[in-house]
Amino acid sequence: MSELTRIPAPDGVAPAAQYSHVVLGTGRFVAVSGQLALDEAGELVGEGDPAAQARQVFENLGRCLAAAGATFEDVVKLTYFLTDMTHLPAIRAARAQHISDDRLPASSAVQVAGLVRPEFLMEVEAYAVLPG
């Protein structure tokens, strides 16, 4: 695990409730492409179910991080692409299964008109830093 510093509230910036405003560290950079709610056979998991899709997305993120020798402990940034902002609590619940509240990464949530296929409700990408 790399040494990461999390700054939840820089001077003059309102405190963040569900993320850190700044995360910094040194080492090797890992970028994980946006993950969708697909199982290993490429089949959709949780059609119409934001909680099921979020769980699958975070399982996929974990597998991608592991392939790079990383874990969720190394994540410095998550970006959520949602077709409906009402799905954000489902993403936060899935994230809580993998990342503790005292190690929250920087995050952005963006509502989009659509994803690569209409049945996808969300896509999440991750950035991590590993020790050099």
Side-chain angles (χ1 to χ4, degrees), residues 91-118:
I91 284 188
R92 287 181 176 151
R95 181 194 66 198
Q97 298 300 308
H98 300 278
I99 302 173
S100 64
D101 285 347
D102 65 336
R103 300 195 56 81
L104 293 173
S107 298
S108 299
V110 182
Q111 184 166 337
V112 296
L115 294 166
V116 67
R117 294 193 337 226

Side-chain angles (χ1 to χ4, degrees), residues 62-113:
R63 290 182 181 114
C64 290
L65 289 165
T71 71
F72 281 103
E73 295 286 316
D74 303 304
V75 171
V76 295
K77 175 78 163 60
L78 292 170
T79 305
Y80 312 117
F81 301 97
L82 308 159
T83 59
D84 188 327
M85 281 296 180
T86 64
H87 303 322
L88 196 52
I91 284 188
R92 287 181 176 151
R95 181 194 66 198
Q97 298 300 308
H98 300 278
I99 302 173
S100 64
D101 285 347
D102 65 336
R103 300 195 56 81
L104 293 173
S107 298
S108 299
V110 182
Q111 184 166 337
V112 296

